[in-house]
Coordinates of all heavy atoms in Angstrom, one line a residue:
M117 N 0.8 -1.2 0.1 CA 0.1 0.0 -0.1 C 0.9 1.3 0.0 O 1.8 1.4 0.7 CB -0.9 0.0 1.2 CG -1.8 1.2 1.4 SD -2.7 1.2 2.9 CE -4.1 0.2 2.4
K118 N 0.6 2.2 -0.9 CA 1.2 3.5 -1.0 C 0.4 4.6 -0.5 O -0.8 4.6 -0.7 CB 1.7 3.6 -2.5 CG 2.7 2.6 -3.0 CD 4.1 3.2 -2.8 CE 5.1 2.3 -3.6 NZ 6.4 2.8 -3.3
A119 N 1.0 5.6 0.1 CA 0.3 6.8 0.5 C 1.0 8.0 -0.2 O 2.2 8.0 -0.3 CB 0.4 6.8 2.0
K120 N 0.1 8.9 -0.5 CA 0.6 10.2 -1.1 C -0.1 11.3 -0.5 O -1.4 11.3 -0.2 CB 0.3 10.2 -2.6 CG 1.4 10.0 -3.5 CD 1.0 10.2 -5.0 CE 0.1 9.2 -5.6 NZ -0.2 9.5 -7.0
V121 N 0.5 12.5 -0.4 CA -0.1 13.7 0.1 C 0.0 14.7 -1.0 O 1.2 14.9 -1.3 CB 0.4 14.3 1.5 CG1 -0.2 15.6 1.7 CG2 0.2 13.2 2.6
D122 N -1.0 15.3 -1.4 CA -0.9 16.3 -2.4 C -0.5 17.7 -1.7 O -1.3 18.2 -1.0 CB -2.2 16.5 -3.2 CG -2.1 17.6 -4.3 OD1 -1.2 18.4 -4.3 OD2 -3.0 17.5 -5.2
Q123 N 0.7 18.1 -2.0 CA 1.2 19.3 -1.1 C 0.5 20.5 -1.5 O 0.4 21.5 -0.7 CB 2.7 19.4 -1.5 CG 3.6 18.1 -1.2 CD 3.5 17.8 0.3 OE1 3.6 18.7 1.1 NE2 3.3 16.5 0.7
D124 N 0.0 20.6 -2.7 CA -0.7 21.8 -3.1 C -2.1 21.9 -2.4 O -2.6 23.0 -2.3 CB -0.9 21.8 -4.7 CG 0.5 22.0 -5.4 OD1 1.4 22.6 -4.8 OD2 0.6 21.5 -6.5
T125 N -2.6 20.7 -2.1 CA -3.9 20.7 -1.5 C -3.9 20.7 0.0 O -4.9 21.3 0.5 CB -4.7 19.4 -2.0 OG1 -4.6 19.4 -3.5 CG2 -6.1 19.4 -1.7
C126 N -2.9 20.1 0.6 CA -2.9 20.1 2.0 C -2.9 21.4 2.7 O -2.2 22.3 2.2 CB -1.6 19.4 2.5 SG -1.3 19.3 4.3
I127 N -3.8 21.6 3.6 CA -3.9 22.9 4.3 C -3.1 22.9 5.7 O -3.3 23.7 6.5 CB -5.3 23.4 4.5 CG1 -6.2 22.3 5.2 CG2 -5.9 23.8 3.1 CD1 -7.6 22.8 5.6
G128 N -2.5 21.7 6.0 CA -1.8 21.6 7.3 C -2.7 21.6 8.5 O -2.3 22.0 9.6
C129 N -3.7 20.8 8.4 CA -4.7 20.8 9.5 C -4.1 19.9 10.6 O -4.5 20.1 11.7 CB -6.1 20.3 9.1 SG -6.1 18.5 8.9
G130 N -3.2 19.0 10.3 CA -2.6 18.2 11.3 C -3.3 16.9 11.7 O -2.9 16.2 12.5
L131 N -4.4 16.6 10.9 CA -5.3 15.5 11.4 C -4.6 14.2 11.0 O -4.5 13.2 11.7 CB -6.5 15.6 10.6 CG -7.7 14.8 11.2 CD1 -8.0 15.2 12.7 CD2 -9.0 15.1 10.4
C132 N -3.9 14.1 9.8 CA -3.5 12.8 9.3 C -2.3 12.1 10.4 O -2.3 11.1 10.6 CB -3.1 12.8 7.9 SG -1.9 14.0 7.4
P133 N -1.3 13.1 10.7 CA -0.3 12.5 11.6 C -0.8 12.2 13.0 O -0.4 11.3 13.7 CB 0.8 13.7 11.7 CG 0.2 14.9 11.2 CD -1.0 14.5 10.3
S134 N -1.9 12.7 13.4 CA -2.5 12.4 14.6 C -3.3 11.0 14.5 O -3.4 10.3 15.5 CB -3.5 13.4 15.2 OG -4.7 13.4 14.5
I135 N -3.8 10.8 13.2 CA -4.5 9.5 13.1 C -3.5 8.3 12.8 O -3.6 7.2 13.3 CB -5.5 9.5 12.0 CG1 -6.6 10.5 12.4 CG2 -6.1 8.2 11.6 CD1 -7.6 10.8 11.2
A136 N -2.5 8.6 11.9 CA -1.5 7.6 11.6 C -0.1 8.2 11.6 O 0.5 8.5 10.7 CB -1.8 7.2 10.1
P137 N 0.4 8.3 12.9 CA 1.7 9.0 13.1 C 3.0 8.2 12.4 O 4.0 8.7 12.3 CB 1.8 9.1 14.6 CG 0.9 8.1 15.1 CD -0.2 7.9 14.1
D138 N 2.7 6.9 12.2 CA 3.9 6.1 11.6 C 3.8 6.3 10.1 O 4.7 5.9 9.4 CB 3.5 4.6 11.8 CG 3.7 4.3 13.3 OD1 4.4 5.1 14.0 OD2 3.1 3.3 13.8
V139 N 2.8 6.9 9.5 CA 2.8 7.2 8.0 C 2.9 8.6 7.6 O 3.6 9.0 6.6 CB 1.4 6.7 7.5 CG1 1.3 6.8 6.0 CG2 1.2 5.2 8.0
F140 N 2.4 9.6 8.4 CA 2.4 11.0 8.1 C 3.1 11.8 9.1 O 2.9 11.4 10.3 CB 0.9 11.6 7.9 CG 0.1 10.7 6.9 CD1 -0.8 9.8 7.3 CD2 0.2 11.0 5.6 CE1 -1.5 9.0 6.5 CE2 -0.5 10.2 4.7 CZ -1.4 9.3 5.0
E141 N 3.8 12.9 8.7 CA 4.5 13.8 9.7 C 4.4 15.1 9.2 O 4.5 15.4 7.9 CB 5.9 13.3 9.8 CG 6.8 14.0 10.8 CD 8.1 13.4 10.9 OE1 8.3 12.3 11.7 OE2 9.0 14.0 10.2
M142 N 4.1 16.1 10.1 CA 4.2 17.5 9.7 C 5.6 18.0 9.5 O 6.4 17.7 10.4 CB 3.4 18.4 10.7 CG 2.0 18.0 11.0 SD 0.9 17.9 9.5 CE 0.9 19.6 9.0
K143 N 5.9 18.6 8.4 CA 7.3 19.1 8.2 C 7.3 20.7 8.4 O 6.2 21.3 8.7 CB 7.7 18.8 6.8 CG 7.8 17.2 6.7 CD 9.1 16.6 7.1 CE 9.3 15.1 6.6 NZ 10.3 14.4 7.3
D144 N 8.5 21.2 8.2 CA 8.7 22.6 8.5 C 7.9 23.5 7.5 O 7.6 24.7 7.8 CB 10.2 23.0 8.4 CG 10.9 22.6 9.6 OD1 10.3 22.1 10.6 OD2 12.2 22.5 9.5
D145 N 7.5 23.0 6.4 CA 6.7 23.6 5.4 C 5.2 23.8 5.8 O 4.4 24.3 5.1 CB 6.9 23.1 4.0 CG 6.4 21.7 3.9 OD1 5.9 21.1 4.9 OD2 6.5 21.1 2.8
G146 N 4.9 23.2 7.0 CA 3.5 23.2 7.4 C 2.6 22.3 6.8 O 1.3 22.3 6.9
K147 N 3.2 21.4 6.0 CA 2.4 20.4 5.3 C 2.7 18.9 5.8 O 3.7 18.8 6.4 CB 2.7 20.3 3.7 CG 2.7 21.7 3.2 CD 1.4 22.0 2.6 CE 1.4 23.5 2.0 NZ 0.2 23.7 1.0
A148 N 1.7 18.1 5.5 CA 2.0 16.7 5.9 C 2.8 16.0 4.9 O 2.6 16.2 3.6 CB 0.7 16.0 6.1
H149 N 3.7 15.1 5.3 CA 4.5 14.4 4.4 C 4.5 12.9 4.7 O 4.3 12.6 5.9 CB 6.0 14.8 4.5 CG 6.2 16.2 3.9 ND1 6.6 16.5 2.6 CD2 5.9 17.4 4.4 CE1 6.6 17.8 2.4 NE2 6.2 18.4 3.4
V150 N 4.5 12.0 3.7 CA 4.6 10.6 4.0 C 5.9 10.2 4.4 O 6.9 10.5 3.8 CB 4.1 9.9 2.7 CG1 4.2 8.3 3.0 CG2 2.7 10.2 2.3
I151 N 6.0 9.5 5.5 CA 7.3 9.1 6.1 C 7.6 7.5 5.9 O 8.5 7.1 6.3 CB 7.4 9.6 7.5 CG1 6.4 9.1 8.4 CG2 7.6 11.1 7.6 CD1 6.7 9.3 9.9
A152 N 6.6 6.9 5.5 CA 6.7 5.4 5.3 C 6.0 4.9 4.1 O 4.7 4.9 4.0 CB 6.1 4.8 6.6
N153 N 6.7 4.6 3.1 CA 6.2 4.1 1.8 C 7.0 2.9 1.4 O 8.3 3.0 1.2 CB 6.3 5.1 0.7 CG 4.9 5.6 0.3 OD1 3.9 4.8 0.5 ND2 4.8 6.7 -0.2
P154 N 6.5 1.7 1.3 CA 5.1 1.4 1.5 C 4.6 1.5 2.9 O 5.5 1.5 3.8 CB 4.9 -0.1 1.0 CG 6.3 -0.6 1.2 CD 7.3 0.5 0.9
V155 N 3.3 1.7 3.1 CA 2.7 1.8 4.5 C 2.9 0.6 5.2 O 2.6 -0.6 4.7 CB 1.3 2.1 4.3 CG1 0.5 2.2 5.6 CG2 1.0 3.5 3.6
P156 N 3.5 0.6 6.4 CA 3.6 -0.7 7.2 C 2.3 -1.3 7.3 O 1.3 -0.7 7.5 CB 4.1 -0.2 8.5 CG 4.6 1.2 8.3 CD 3.9 1.7 7.1
A157 N 2.2 -2.7 7.3 CA 1.0 -3.5 7.3 C 0.1 -3.0 8.6 O -1.1 -2.9 8.4 CB 1.4 -5.0 7.4
G158 N 0.8 -2.8 9.7 CA 0.0 -2.5 10.8 C -0.5 -1.1 10.8 O -1.3 -0.8 11.8
S159 N -0.2 -0.3 9.9 CA -0.7 1.0 9.8 C -1.7 1.3 8.7 O -2.0 2.4 8.4 CB 0.5 2.0 9.7 OG 1.4 1.9 10.8
E160 N -2.0 0.2 7.9 CA -2.9 0.3 6.8 C -4.3 0.9 7.1 O -4.7 1.8 6.4 CB -2.9 -0.9 5.9 CG -1.6 -1.2 5.4 CD -1.7 -2.5 4.3 OE1 -2.7 -3.2 4.4 OE2 -0.7 -2.6 3.6
D161 N -4.8 0.4 8.1 CA -6.2 0.8 8.5 C -6.1 2.3 8.9 O -7.0 3.1 8.5 CB -6.7 0.0 9.7 CG -7.1 -1.4 9.3 OD1 -7.1 -1.6 8.0 OD2 -7.5 -2.2 10.1
A162 N -5.1 2.7 9.6 CA -4.9 4.1 10.1 C -4.8 5.0 8.9 O -5.3 6.1 8.8 CB -3.8 4.3 11.1
A163 N -3.9 4.5 7.9 CA -3.6 5.4 6.8 C -5.0 5.6 6.0 O -5.3 6.7 5.5 CB -2.7 4.7 5.8
K164 N -5.7 4.5 5.9 CA -7.1 4.7 5.1 C -8.0 5.7 5.9 O -8.8 6.4 5.3 CB -7.7 3.2 5.1 CG -7.3 2.5 3.8 CD -8.1 1.3 3.7 CE -7.4 0.2 2.9 NZ -7.8 -1.1 3.2
E165 N -7.9 5.5 7.2 CA -8.9 6.4 8.1 C -8.4 7.9 7.9 O -9.2 8.8 7.7 CB -8.7 6.0 9.5 CG -9.8 6.7 10.4 CD -9.5 6.4 11.9 OE1 -8.9 5.5 12.2 OE2 -9.9 7.3 12.6
A166 N -7.0 8.1 7.8 CA -6.6 9.4 7.6 C -7.0 9.9 6.2 O -7.4 11.1 6.0 CB -5.0 9.4 7.7
E167 N -6.9 9.1 5.2 CA -7.4 9.4 3.8 C -8.9 9.8 3.8 O -9.2 10.9 3.3 CB -7.3 8.2 2.9 CG -7.7 8.5 1.5 CD -7.8 7.3 0.6 OE1 -8.0 6.1 1.1 OE2 -7.4 7.4 -0.6
G168 N -9.6 9.2 4.6 CA -11.1 9.6 4.7 C -11.3 10.7 5.5 O -12.5 11.3 5.4
S169 N -10.4 11.1 6.5 CA -10.7 12.1 7.4 C -10.1 13.4 6.9 O -10.5 14.6 7.5 CB -10.1 11.8 8.7 OG -10.6 10.6 9.2
C170 N -9.3 13.5 6.0 CA -8.6 14.7 5.5 C -9.7 15.8 5.0 O -10.4 15.3 4.1 CB -7.6 14.5 4.4 SG -6.9 16.1 3.8
P171 N -9.8 16.9 5.6 CA -10.9 17.8 5.2 C -10.9 18.3 3.7 O -11.9 18.8 3.2 CB -10.9 18.9 6.2 CG -9.4 18.9 6.6 CD -9.0 17.5 6.6
V172 N -9.6 18.2 3.1 CA -9.5 18.7 1.8 C -9.2 17.6 0.8 O -8.7 17.8 -0.4 CB -8.5 19.8 1.7 CG1 -9.0 21.1 2.5 CG2 -7.1 19.4 2.2
N173 N -9.3 16.3 1.2 CA -9.0 15.2 0.4 C -7.6 15.2 -0.4 O -7.5 15.0 -1.5 CB -10.2 15.0 -0.7 CG -11.4 14.6 -0.1 OD1 -11.5 13.7 0.7 ND2 -12.5 15.2 -0.6
A174 N -6.6 15.6 0.5 CA -5.3 15.7 -0.1 C -4.5 14.4 0.0 O -3.5 14.2 -0.7 CB -4.4 16.8 0.7
I175 N -5.1 13.3 0.6 CA -4.4 12.1 0.8 C -5.0 11.1 -0.1 O -6.2 11.0 -0.3 CB -4.5 11.6 2.3 CG1 -4.0 12.6 3.2 CG2 -3.9 10.2 2.4 CD1 -4.3 12.3 4.6
E176 N -4.0 10.4 -0.7 CA -4.4 9.1 -1.6 C -3.8 7.9 -1.0 O -2.5 8.0 -0.9 CB -4.1 9.6 -3.0 CG -4.7 8.6 -4.0 CD -4.3 9.0 -5.5 OE1 -4.3 10.1 -5.8 OE2 -4.0 8.2 -6.2
V177 N -4.4 6.9 -0.8 CA -3.9 5.7 -0.3 C -4.4 4.6 -1.2 O -5.5 4.4 -1.4 CB -4.3 5.4 1.2 CG1 -3.8 4.0 1.5 CG2 -3.8 6.4 2.0
E178 N -3.4 3.8 -1.8 CA -3.9 2.7 -2.6 C -2.9 1.6 -2.5 O -1.8 1.7 -2.2 CB -4.0 3.2 -4.1 CG -2.7 3.7 -4.7 CD -3.0 4.4 -6.1 OE1 -4.2 4.5 -6.4 OE2 -2.1 4.6 -6.8
Ligands
F3S485 FE1 -2.9 18.0 5.3 FE2 -5.1 16.6 5.1 FE3 -3.2 15.8 6.6 S1 -5.0 18.8 5.3 S2 -2.2 17.7 7.4 S3 -3.2 16.0 4.4 S4 -5.4 15.6 7.1

């Protein structure tokens, strides 16, 4: 499973790293970045939840 954050779309709300801290991290640019690709097996559900929770649909998990 791969995760992607569209940097142009992310508004830096911080939700995804709080839901899936092993997959997403806030960086100095104020945006979320993927820190684990492929997504670790134990974090796949959290990554999907983050995808569904992002208010601007900036996350793609497949
Ligand atoms: Fe950005 Fe969405 Fe995460 S706005 S910080 S990608 S939940």
Side-chain angles (χ1 to χ4, degrees):
M117 176 183 279
K118 294 265 191 185
K120 253 193 288 183
V121 174
D122 183 339
Q123 302 299 315
D124 294 332
T125 306
C126 173
I127 56 170
C129 79
L131 203 56
C132 55
S134 76
I135 294 172
D138 294 335
V139 182
F140 305 100
E141 189 175 273
M142 302 308 292
K143 300 274 194 197
D144 288 346
D145 62 1
K147 312 268 179 163
H149 293 257
V150 175
I151 54 168
N153 248 335
V155 174
S159 297
E160 290 190 346
D161 286 350
K164 275 190 205 149
E165 191 187 332
E167 179 187 33
S169 302
C170 175
V172 292
N173 290 320
I175 300 172
E176 198 181 311
V177 175
E178 57 186 17

